[in-house]
Amino acid sequence: MAEKLTRREALGSLGASVALFAGAPVRIAAAADGTVTAYTGKVELGQGSRTELAMAVAEEMRIPLAKVRLVMGDTELCPDDGGTYGSLTTPQTLPVMRKAAAEKRGGALTPPGEWKVLGTSAADVRGPEIVTGRQVFPGDARLDGMLHARVVRPRLYGAKLISVAEAEGARLVRDGGLAAFVSSDPVAPKRAAAAARAEWAPVPFPADPSGISALAAYFKANSTPPVENMNTRYPPLIRRGDARTALAAAALKHASSYWLPYIAHTPMEPRAAVAEWKDGGVTIRTGTQTPFPVRQEVARALGMDESKVRIIALTPGGAFGGKQRGEVEIEAARISRAAGAPVRVQWSREEEFTCAYHRPAGLMEVESAVDDKGKLTAWVHRNYNSGAAGLQIAYAIPNISCEFHRSPSPVRQGSYRSLAAAANTFARECHVDEWAARLQADPLEFRTRNCGDERLRMVLERLGKGPGGMACTLEKDARIALRAEIEVRGREVRLKRFTFVGDYGAVINPLNLRKQIRGALVMGIGGALLERVEFDQGNQKTRKLSAYRVPRFGDVPEMRLELIDRREAEPAGAGEAAIALVAPAVANAIFAVTGKRLRRLPLSLAEL
Amino acid sequence: MHNGRMAVVRLLVNGSVRPADVHPGTTLLEFLHDYLELTGAKAGCEEGACGACTVHVDGKAVKSCMVTAAAQQGKTITTIEGLAQGERLHAVQKAFLSAEAFQCGYCTPGMIMEAAALLNEGDVVGAAGVKARMGGHVCRCGMYDEIVAAVLLAAGELRRG
Ligand code: FES
Ligand code: FES
C-alpha cells in the first residue's frame, strides 16, 4: 500500500528531525545540496503562506523557489511567530523571514524595486500534492497502533454528561465529563457514538439566541462600556473631539441600528486531531491556526508543563478563524491518555456545527451628524457583542466615538475571518449610504467628500460612479472598495457583478492576492445573503450542511478585480479585508434598486 | 450500529482488487478513506451535500458517502489517486494546477473527479454548463471562478486531443 506508507512517512519525517534542532529554534538552515529549510510558527490554511514565505527566502538567498523547504507550525522546531490570524503573515512574518534570509546570505535586504521573486505570480508550492490527492489533512493522519475515536455528544446544545452506557463494537473511554468510543476499526466508534445511550444535564441558554430583539436586549443589558486603550491591535474605544456634545448641538442628524446573527465557519474539513503519548509528553497533529496557544491550552487542560506538549500543525481543509482554540486537540490528548494508545479524534459535520464556536451575533448603533456642506461632523458607533475590529474610521470626522461594548454570549462564539470588521463595516457603510440618499448626493461622491485617507480616495476614484451599491474601507492597512450590481426578481436578490478595487501596498504574489480577494468576496456573499445559524426552543437547529446555505457555484457574480500595486508601501495582509465590503455593498444595492433599507443580515426582502 | 456481522468486501479500486473486513452499512467513502486509506476522497458532510467524496464508479461521478461499499462489488472504482497515468497527470489535474483552482485543497479531489467524469461524457457548454453540472459541490474557500476556468481549460485541452 504505497499511499499508506507515504502518508505515515510524511508524518514520521517531522519527528525524525527533532533531534537535529533541539534547543533554541532555528530560523533558516542551509544544506550541502543547496536546499534551504526555513522554520516558522505560522501555518498554511490555504491562504498561501507557505508559498509566500518560501518566496521571501528564495528572494533574499538568491536561490530558486524549488530549493526552499518550509517547516511550519511545529512547536518543537519552529520559532513562535504568533497565531495565523488577523492577516498578519504578510505584514509581520514576511519581513522577519526576509531579514533572516538576507542575513543568512550575508547581504543587505533587497529593495522592493529590485525584487525578482517577490512581486511576481508564483504558483502554490502545494499544487501537485493537492491535485493528486496526496496532501495529508488532519483527518487523513494515521499512526501505527492508533485507535480511532468519536466523542459522545448531547442532542441538546451544551448539555453536560451524566452517564453513558457501554456499547458493542467499540470500547468506551471516559475522562471526567468527556466520553468517547474508541476502536482499531476506523468506523465502529462513529456508529457507537451515534447510537450511544447517555444521560445529559441540560444547560439552558441565558437568553434565547433565536429572537433578535431578546438577544439584542440581552447584549445591551449585560454589556460593559469600553475603557480607552490604544496600545492594542483592536482598540475598544476610538475617540476624537467630543462626539456626543457635537451630536447634541447638530441640526442634521441620523440614527440607525444594524444586526448580524451567529454564523458558522463551516470549513470543508470537520476538524480532527491525532494524539500520541510518550515518556509523559504528548504530540498532537492537528489543523490548528494557533499551534503555540493550543500547546498552552492543552498543557493547562491536562495539568502538565508546556514543554511536554508538542503541536504539529497540518494544513486543514479550511479554518477562517474557526480553528484557533484547543478543543479537538484537548479531547484527543485526554482520550489517548485514558485509552493508553495513540488516538485520532474526528469530528463530524454535526459536531462542527454544534460544538465549534460561532461568529458572534452583534448589534450596532450609529448616530451621526453632517454640516450644511454635507460633511460629517460627529459619529457615535456602538458595537454590542461582536467586537472592536474595524471600528476605526477612514472618514475625516472631527468628533468620533467608536465603541465596543463587550457582552456575554448565550452560545459559544469566537474569531471569524476579519473578526468584527464585517459587522462594523456593514453598519458604517450602510449608514454613510443612508446619508448620501438623504442628502441626494451620489454615494461615491459623498464618500470621497468625507474621505480622510489619500490612498483610499484614489481607490474610490478608480472605482468611479456607477450603478448598484457600493462600500469602501481601510481595513488591516488595505484600502478597498466594492461595487455590487444586482437584479431583484420578486423578493429574490441575484448578484450580477462585483467590481473591486484594492490597494494592498506592495503586491507580494499577485496570483495569490487575487485568489484571496475572490475567496473573501465569495465568503462574504454567505454572510450577506445566505447564512444564519438557527436556534429553536433552547436548542441549536442548524446541524447539517444541507440545512445551512453556504455560497455555491450559482451564487457567484461576475467579478472584476483591479489592484493598485505600490512597491514603495508596506504590504498589507489580504486574507480578510474584502469580506467586510460584501454585505454593505449589497444592502446599498438593494436600496438603490428597490428603495428598501435592509439593516439585518442575512439581507432578505422576504423578511422585511 | 454494526449489529450486522463483519464481512469481507472486495472492490476493484484503481486497477487492483482491494479487500476489507467491514460492517454491512459501511459507505464507499468509509471503505476508501478509512479502510483502504485512499484519503483523496474526503468527508465533508456525509449526506450528499458537498461533493468532497466524489469518485468514479464505472466511469460515472458518484458521491461515495451516499452508497454502500458492498453494493459496488463487481464495479470499477477510480479515485483521485488513480486518475493520473503514473506521473502523467490527467488533463483536469493539469488544468486545476494552471488555473490554481484551490486554496486549502480539501474540495479539490472531488471537484476534479466530477469534472473528469463530466468531460468524459462529452463537451460542456460554456461556464454556465460547468456551473450547472458542478452545482452539488461546495468550495468553502470560494474558488468557484477558478474551478470553472480550470474545467473549461481542460475541455479545450481534451478537444484538441
Ligand atoms: S461527503 Fe459526500 S457529499 Fe459531502
Ligand atoms: S479549496 Fe478549500 S474548500 Fe475548496
Side-chain angles (χ1 to χ4, degrees), chain A residues 205-210 214-215 218 410:
Chain A
F205 291 128
D208 182 1
S210 58
L215 193 53
Y218 176 81

Side-chain angles (χ1 to χ4, degrees), chain A residues 508-539:
Chain A
I508 301 299
N509 180 351
L511 174 65
N512 190 55
L513 177 56
R514 286 172 178 276
K515 279 168 62 183
Q516 283 307 302
I517 294 168
R518 268 199 293 267
L521 292 174
V522 169
M523 200 164 195
I525 294 170
L529 287 167
L530 307 170
E531 294 178 43
R532 172 169 54 200
V533 175
E534 308 271 4
F535 298 87
D536 182 25
Q537 300 177 348
N539 200 11

Side-chain angles (χ1 to χ4, degrees), chain A residues 124 126 140 190 515 551-552, chain B residues 42 46 49 100 103 144:
Chain A
D124 192 311
R126 303 169 307 136
D140 306 332
K190 174 156 78 176
K515 279 168 62 183
R552 288 172 176 265
Chain B
K42 305 284 183 210
E46 297 185 272
E100 283 258 330
Q103 283 186 19
Y144 295 116

Side-chain angles (χ1 to χ4, degrees), chain A residues 392-403:
Chain A
Q392 81 291 340
I393 196 164
Y395 296 113
I397 308 171
N399 304 288
I400 63 170
S401 181
C402 300
E403 308 161 8

